[in-house]
Amino acid sequence: MSIVYALFTLIIHVEGNSGVSCPTPLCQCQYLQAICSGENLTYIPRLPEQIRQVTFINGNIGILSRERIGNLTFNHIEKLKFASNRIFEMKPNKFANLTWINHLTLSLERSLDVFDVRNALIDIGTRSRDLKKLFLVDIGLTVLPNDMFNSLKTSKIDMISLKSNNITVLNCLSFSDLKQMDELDVRSNQTTHVIPGMMPKLRILFLNHNHLNRLPNFCIDHEIKSVFPHLLKLDISNNKISTLGQIRCTPRLQSLIIGNNLIRVIHSDTFTNLNQLTRLDLMVVGEPLKKIEESALNISSLKTFVIENLT
Ligand SMILES: *[C@@H]1O[C@H](CO)[C@@H](O)[C@H](O)[C@H]1NC(C)=O
Ligand SMILES: *[C@@H]1O[C@H](CO)[C@@H](O)[C@H](O)[C@H]1NC(C)=O
Ligand SMILES: *[C@@H]1O[C@H](CO)[C@@H](O)[C@H](O)[C@H]1NC(C)=O
Ligand SMILES: *[C@@H]1O[C@H](CO)[C@@H](O)[C@H](O)[C@H]1NC(C)=O
Ligand SMILES: *[C@@H]1O[C@H](CO)[C@@H](O)[C@H](O)[C@H]1NC(C)=O
Ligand SMILES: CC(=O)N[C@H]1CO[C@H](CO)[C@@H](O)[C@@H]1O
């Protein structure tokens, strides 16, 4: 039965697509990729069969619905990107039939409602297990609903970028059901607080260009357990951190980028728990940094140390 069904859909698929050529000048197609753009991009056109990656940029799409996205269901779309298409509404189920998606990007769609975005993730999460990378960049996110990413817990998601939004509180509990998360990028937001939440495989965390005035707490369970036991790289530069205590609960940290904060003194015990640190970047700590206490930089694993403008 399932073989018959598979053959049947295959035949429909092949027939359905044969002879569809690239809808120029709306789109440019090259090998597996199509890029569609411009003022005349008010709908989603049908694309040649081989297309697996599609970008819609600088269009005027307005509303995304299942009907309007229907033309994409003839392709095996793996990477889908919408950037600056004046999308202001996303109807339920729009992505439900796109079961091969592994990269999704929504960027510069500043009129989107956060609940529409959450529902889009539900569409994808409930149908596709393949989603690996999610980019929600510069779409005006401020407060994330607690269940924002819940639907992705059965997916293979390993990277989320929330770059260039206006998120003030980063609640890591929102990600703790996503067991494969390797990288989280929250740079260029307005984050003042990070709520700790276990992310057992997280290796890379970007928190640079935010409004943090202290280093987040990476410890739970009475300060003995790390929330990010595998964190290798932390970029927390360009914040408003004025004092650094002893950095704790990041046992595997190899690269710490901490420049451009308001730190005045680096105390001798600051890095003593970082036994695997190989790169420390204090670039342009500049004006405020007056003193590095003796032996603070006595880190035997250190290979690269960057500093500038120490007065
Ligand atoms: C959009 O379509 C109109 C009418 O077909 C055409 O005159 C115009 O050149 C198109 N604009 C672009 C950017 O392709
Ligand atoms: C699907 O694509 C065809 C051809 O590109 C177009 O004429 C049609 O309007 C599209 N359908 C929708 C629902 O946008
Ligand atoms: C999309 O999926 C629905 C069921 O979820 C189905 O009825 C519909 O025919 C599908 N559309 C296409 C174009 O495959
Ligand atoms: C985000 O913050 C910037 C700078 O403060 C502001 O100009 C912009 O309007 C804010 N956007 C939203 C969606 O709140
Ligand atoms: C540097 O640390 C080592 C042990 O890690 C210690 O033996 C040594 O005395 C320290 N040197 C200074 C100058 O503090
Ligand atoms: C501190 C910081 O860089 N905040 C940025 C967050 O992202 C918005 C863009 O959405 C910028 O305007 C802010 O400057």
Side-chain angles (χ1 to χ4, degrees):
M1 182 61 191
S2 64
I3 292 171
V4 172
Y5 177 73
L7 276 176
F8 183 65
T9 48
L10 187 68
I11 288 163
I12 290 188
H13 189 78
V14 169
E15 282 195 337
N17 257 345
S18 55
V20 175
S21 54
C22 191
T24 52
L26 204 55
C27 305
Q28 304 299 319
C29 306
Q30 195 175 36
Y31 190 45
L32 302 178
Q33 208 189 110
I35 298 176
C36 307
S37 65
E39 57 178 314
N40 291 340
L41 182 64
T42 54
Y43 67 101
I44 291 175
R46 184 97 178 253
L47 296 164
E49 179 182 10
Q50 77 276 11
I51 298 297
R52 286 171 186 239
Q53 305 172 0
V54 57
T55 298
F56 298 97
I57 183 162
N58 296 331
N60 191 4
I61 294 176
I63 297 179
L64 275 186
S65 61
R66 188 161 86 188
E67 294 71 31
R68 303 200 77 196
I69 260 183
N71 274 336
L72 292 183
T73 61
F74 297 99
N75 297 72
H76 276 226
I77 299 296
E78 292 169 355
K79 289 191 186 172
L80 178 60
K81 177 170 177 175
F82 291 96
S84 193
N85 297 287
R86 296 190 232 164
I87 298 171
F88 58 85
E89 189 179 350
M90 298 199 291
K91 303 258 193 208
N93 291 321
K94 65 226 141 283
F95 294 136
N97 287 15
L98 303 180
T99 49
W100 288 278
I101 290 189
N102 56 42
H103 284 50
L104 175 68
T105 304
L106 297 173
S107 144
L108 288 158
E109 304 292 359
R110 294 214 184 94
S111 307
L112 277 177
D113 183 83
V114 66
F115 291 101
D116 275 6
V117 177
R118 191 225 18 216
N119 294 343
L121 300 181
I122 294 176
D123 292 347
I124 291 184
T126 50
R127 299 294 178 91
S128 162
R129 300 267 151 101
D130 294 338
L131 190 68
K132 286 198 74 164
K133 314 238 182 263
L134 174 65
F135 299 83
L136 302 175
V137 175
D138 209 339
I139 56 171
L141 298 174
T142 52
V143 177
L144 298 181
N146 284 337
D147 61 351
M148 183 80 184
F149 304 106
N150 276 13
S151 59
L152 303 180
K153 61 185 169 201
T154 53
S155 73
K156 298 171 186 153
I157 190 121
D158 65 11
M159 193 275 177
I160 296 182
S161 174
L162 301 168
K163 198 163 78 170
S164 298
N165 285 287
N166 285 358
I167 297 168
T168 51
V169 177
L170 179 67
N171 183 354
C172 292
L173 294 168
S174 310
F175 308 100
S176 32
D177 285 332
L178 312 179
K179 299 292 182 220
Q180 305 299 320
M181 279 288 286
D182 175 78
E183 181 174 342
L184 179 61
D185 187 349
V186 195
R187 81 182 84 173
S188 296
N189 271 270
Q190 304 188 357
T191 307
T192 53
H193 288 92
V194 177
I195 298 173
M198 193 72 194
M199 296 174 77
K201 289 194 176 170
L202 193 73
R203 290 187 316 132
I204 301 173
L205 178 59
F206 290 100
L207 284 170
N208 45 313
H209 291 94
N210 275 289
H211 296 331
L212 294 167
N213 59 21
R214 63 166 84 165
L215 206 66
N217 177 19
F218 301 117
C219 301
I220 43 169
D221 286 356
H222 307 289
E223 311 287 297
I224 54 162
K225 196 170 164 190
S226 169
V227 282
F228 307 144
H230 283 94
L231 193 67
L232 294 183
K233 174 173 176 171
L234 174 64
D235 188 341
I236 198 149
S237 61
N238 294 281
N239 275 279
K240 297 178 175 170
I241 300 172
S242 54
T243 48
L244 273 184
Q246 192 181 34
I247 300 174
R248 305 178 59 226
C249 296
T250 53
R252 300 240 163 80
L253 199 65
Q254 290 179 0
S255 176
L256 176 61
I257 303 165
I258 207 163
N260 265 327
N261 274 288
L262 303 174
I263 301 160
R264 297 175 63 85
V265 182
I266 293 183
H267 294 284
S268 55
D269 64 351
T270 304
F271 307 116
T272 46
N273 293 322
L274 306 180
N275 300 324
Q276 306 198 8
L277 197 68
T278 53
R279 181 188 169 91
L280 176 63
D281 189 333
L282 292 168
M283 190 84 164
V284 202
V285 169
E287 286 299 329
L289 186 62
K290 295 286 185 245
K291 187 175 179 196
I292 299 181
E293 281 185 0
E294 210 181 329
S295 79
L297 298 175
N298 183 10
I299 308 164
S300 58
S301 53
L302 204 62
K303 289 187 186 132
T304 311
F305 173 56
V306 184
I307 192 163
E308 200 182 70
N309 282 1
L310 184 62
T311 48

